[in-house]
Amino acid sequence: MAFNVSQINFALQISRIIRVMENQISIMPNCLWYGAKKSREVVFSVLRDACIDGDLSIAEAVEAAKDIFARNAIHFYKISVATSAVSSHNNFPQKWNDGLETDVSLVRIIWIDNSGQQRCRAVPRKRFNDVVTKNGVGLAFAVMGMSSFLDGPAEGSGLSAVGETRLMPDLSTKREFHGTQNKQDEMVLADMHVKPGQPWEYCTREALRRVSKILKDEFDLVLNAGFENEFILLKSITREGREEWVPIDSSPYCSSSAFDAASPILRDIASALHSLGISVEQLHAEGGKGQFELVLGHTICTKAADNVIYTRETVRAIARKHGLLATFIPKYALDDLGSGSHVHLSLGQNGQNVFMASDESSKYGISTIGKEFMAGVLYHLPSILPFIAPLPNSYDRLQPQTWSGAYLFWGNENKEAPLRASSPPGIPDGFVSNFEIKSFDGSANPYLGLAAIIAAGIDGLRRHLSLPEPVDTNPNPENLQRLPKSLSESLEALDKDDFLKGFISDKLLTAIKAIRKAEIDHYSKHKDAYKQLIHRY
């Protein structure tokens, strides 16, 4: 019996809703009971999905059901019955719905913790507008002490189950969310306040604002940033009765066939980001299995960090829509290439790029303030790593001959340099418009990472640090200092370096260090535990 969802759906689209049941009964006169039973199941499924998709309200779906069944039966069988029996205002008690909105759209309130994980609370739109915009949403202090392996505060973080901060939505960041069937759902980024109007000292968005303000107040500069987001698309398979996630393909770097295979997903991602006001400059297959890169346009660093959060959220959500899992984990497979979140940086003043030299007389094609800022970042890079490469797994990526930057130097268009001076197409010969930090990865909190970078740059400006000579050849390990090979080594470098004093609060820094120590301890004891990170990053 070809009585199914597609038939009803088709009939609902081309017929008056009141005729659907009549059409079905006329073609199945000998099985009315079974047809009626199945029709109710199918119509319920169709109407339910229409409500979820936002095509019908609940009230409209109820009326449709009455049309299809009650009113249609009255018409078909010539039943004489009072109209009120099937009206919308019958004797059925309605008080259960008094005061409730038919709009069940949700607003997703997003924050990122000190371990780099994106988290959210969702509230109905009406409550968001009536209550949350003014008073925020309560959140336990402990959340900002959580690690990548445990949803509980790390020992020594200074954070516990006692105390509550407020997630205060930044309404300037409210956008449509593309991860659900309900096209009316939205998302917004949150600040953390002790009370409305008073930032909490563990708020990482506020940490970036604070450091950016120092750069502006002291030097009249703003930092612009643009991220290159690498991620891996995984598909689920069953092997020996267990679910496994494996890359969708094994195509090479910039493979057309890899792009073709992922094109529906990549197009959806690009379209979604465009609707969010996020500029996409390039998309291509990367060198790792199932790996792709999404290049975002540059903008002021606070907005660039927001864009990274929304990009990660969008990529993962759209991958799920396609039945896949997208992961930004630094090193998915130890025998394959890792995934970074390389960031390109420049300095702006009065709308002009002042990182680039104003004339050809400047050495390296970089301005004096550009060289001093970059020198500060290079000088402090070992102690910046806990902020931009925050997991033990991050250091499995930072290996020689992998274009990730394993040694402490800078170079002109040198892919092996952790700091690469960049002259993209359109920049005059001999000039440099920005520099790239290749150590940054997708497990990093972008607000913390950029805050640490700016702090290092300010130190370079204050002390008028000089850039060493660039290395424009393949790095020679005998002549260069190796960057920290592990999170333990980078944390030791941070402990010996006090450049963050006055930029990041002592309490926030204590929490970050405690979380990193917890990560080191856990993953040293559980060698395969990193494989679960695909579900967190």
Side-chain angles (χ1 to χ4, degrees):
M1 186 182 302
F3 191 89
N4 55 35
V5 171
S6 61
Q7 282 183 323
I8 290 292
N9 219 346
F10 179 70
L12 284 171
Q13 293 177 38
I14 66 172
S15 305
R16 285 179 59 233
I17 229 167
I18 200 168
R19 303 286 297 179
V20 173
M21 191 64 186
E22 180 178 341
N23 292 340
Q24 296 299 326
I25 291 174
S26 67
I27 63 173
M28 297 182 294
N30 297 323
C31 48
L32 294 179
W33 177 84
Y34 184 74
K37 179 177 181 294
K38 295 300 292 182
S39 68
R40 280 161 172 77
E41 294 174 358
V42 176
V43 170
F44 170 76
S45 174
V46 172
L47 295 178
R48 176 198 61 199
D49 291 346
C51 289
I52 292 173
D53 292 343
D55 296 328
L56 290 177
S57 68
I58 294 176
E60 289 171 335
V62 170
E63 287 302 307
K66 290 177 180 178
D67 276 344
I68 293 171
F69 296 112
R71 297 189 183 103
N72 189 66
I74 291 169
H75 170 76
F76 186 79
Y77 293 109
K78 306 296 191 294
I79 299 173
S80 177
V81 64
T83 304
S84 61
V86 291
S87 71
S88 299
H89 305 284
N90 54 29
N91 294 326
F92 187 82
Q94 295 292 319
K95 289 187 178 180
W96 59 272
N97 196 36
D98 283 356
L100 292 181
E101 292 289 311
T102 56
D103 180 6
V104 292
S105 301
L106 299 175
V107 180
R108 182 178 292 214
I109 306 168
I110 300 171
W111 75 96
I112 183 167
D113 66 21
N114 285 319
S115 70
Q117 294 179 78
Q118 294 181 201
R119 302 176 186 266
C120 78
R121 292 277 185 89
V123 297
R125 179 184 292 173
K126 185 176 188 305
R127 179 170 178 80
F128 178 84
N129 292 332
D130 293 349
V131 178
V132 176
T133 56
K134 301 172 186 175
N135 303 310
V137 171
L139 188 72
F141 283 171
V143 171
M144 291 305 282
M146 291 178 177
S147 64
S148 68
F149 63 89
L150 180 66
D151 285 344
E155 184 179 352
S157 65
L159 296 162
S160 70
V162 179
E164 192 171 80
T165 184
R166 297 190 189 191
L167 293 174
M168 296 300 300
D170 177 354
L171 297 181
S172 70
T173 68
K174 189 151 71 76
R175 302 286 187 273
E176 179 183 342
F177 180 63
H178 293 265
T180 64
Q181 294 297 323
N182 191 335
K183 299 179 177 63
Q184 303 303 314
D185 282 358
E186 294 176 306
M187 57 184 174
V188 67
L189 297 172
D191 293 320
M192 293 180 167
H193 287 192
V194 176
K195 59 183 180 180
Q198 182 180 336
W200 189 38
E201 55 199 329
Y202 293 90
C203 177
T204 61
R205 294 186 85 224
E206 182 63 25
L208 178 55
R209 289 194 198 100
R210 176 179 177 175
V211 179
S212 297
K213 186 177 186 301
I214 296 172
L215 180 65
K216 178 67 175 176
D217 290 348
E218 284 194 31
F219 301 99
D220 192 26
L221 295 172
V222 296
L223 184 74
N224 294 313
F227 284 85
E228 299 175 354
N229 302 272
E230 294 175 339
F231 58 93
I232 295 175
L233 292 176
L234 304 173
K235 62 183 178 181
S236 176
I237 65 169
T238 301
R239 183 177 291 160
E240 297 180 355
R242 299 180 62 184
E243 182 186 50
E244 292 185 22
W245 289 93
V246 299
I248 61 169
D249 72 359
S250 55
S251 301
Y253 175 74
C254 282
S255 164
S256 295
S257 61
F259 191 89
D260 290 341
S263 181
I265 302 171
L266 300 178
R267 286 181 181 276
D268 284 354
I269 290 171
S271 176
L273 293 178
H274 177 76
S275 73
L276 297 177
I278 298 175
S279 170
V280 176
E281 294 192 345
Q282 284 191 52
L283 279 166
H284 64 85
E286 261 295 345
K289 295 176 182 177
Q291 188 183 45
F292 296 86
E293 181 175 288
L294 176 65
V295 180
L296 304 180
H298 72 276
T299 185
I300 188 169
C301 66
T302 48
K303 186 176 179 182
D306 291 346
N307 288 349
V308 168
I309 302 301
Y310 277 160
T311 297
R312 294 175 186 171
E313 200 79 6
T314 299
V315 168
R316 283 195 287 252
I318 289 178
R320 280 193 296 269
K321 276 188 175 182
H322 288 266
L324 302 176
L325 176 67
T327 179
F328 295 84
I329 180 177
K331 194 77 167 179
Y332 165 74
L334 299 184
D335 60 351
D336 201 358
L337 295 176
S339 295
S341 186
H342 313 155
V343 60
H344 287 255
L345 303 169
S346 64
L347 295 169
Q349 189 176 73
N350 300 321
Q352 300 296 315
N353 182 347
V354 294
F355 179 83
M356 185 165 62
S358 59
D359 57 54
E360 296 180 358
S361 65
S362 181
K363 195 174 183 180
Y364 313 129
I366 306 173
S367 68
T368 299
I369 59 174
K371 285 181 286 190
E372 291 179 354
F373 186 93
M374 188 173 170
V377 175
L378 182 65
Y379 181 85
H380 293 291
L381 186 57
S383 48
I384 292 174
L385 288 180
F387 298 88
I388 63 177
L391 293 174
N393 181 258
S394 299
Y395 298 81
D396 294 324
R397 181 181 80 90
L398 300 178
Q399 298 296 320
Q401 305 302 317
T402 60
W403 292 12
S404 59
Y407 297 95
L408 187 60
F409 72 98
W410 76 279
N412 291 295
E413 300 296 1
N414 189 337
K415 299 287 187 180
E416 280 293 322
L419 267 62
R420 176 176 73 96
S422 178
S423 302
I427 300 301
D429 291 344
F431 289 86
V432 171
S433 67
N434 67 85
F435 73 100
E436 176 188 30
I437 302 180
K438 301 184 76 67
S439 314
F440 218 117
D441 70 43
S443 66
N445 179 319
Y447 305 105
L448 290 177
L450 289 172
I453 289 167
I454 295 174
I458 291 175
D459 187 59
L461 291 169
R462 287 174 173 174
R463 296 165 58 194
H464 302 293
L465 296 179
S466 298
L467 273 177
E469 289 296 313
V471 176
D472 294 334
T473 61
N474 212 39
N476 183 349
E478 295 181 3
N479 302 329
L480 295 170
Q481 176 185 334
R482 181 72 161 88
L483 280 171
K485 298 178 182 178
S486 66
L487 181 56
S488 296
E489 290 185 10
S490 66
L491 201 56
E492 288 175 10
L494 178 60
D495 285 336
K496 296 174 183 177
D497 196 345
D498 63 354
F499 80 101
L500 288 174
K501 188 174 183 180
F503 293 108
I504 294 178
S505 75
D506 290 341
K507 288 185 178 180
L508 176 56
L509 194 56
T510 295
I512 292 167
K513 289 181 178 180
I515 293 167
R516 302 297 181 265
K517 290 175 183 177
E519 308 275 10
I520 293 166
D521 182 63
H522 177 79
Y523 291 104
S524 66
K525 295 176 181 176
H526 304 87
K527 298 299 184 182
D528 289 336
Y530 76 92
K531 295 178 181 179
Q532 296 302 310
L533 292 173
I534 61 173
H535 302 292
R536 289 183 177 257
Y537 299 96

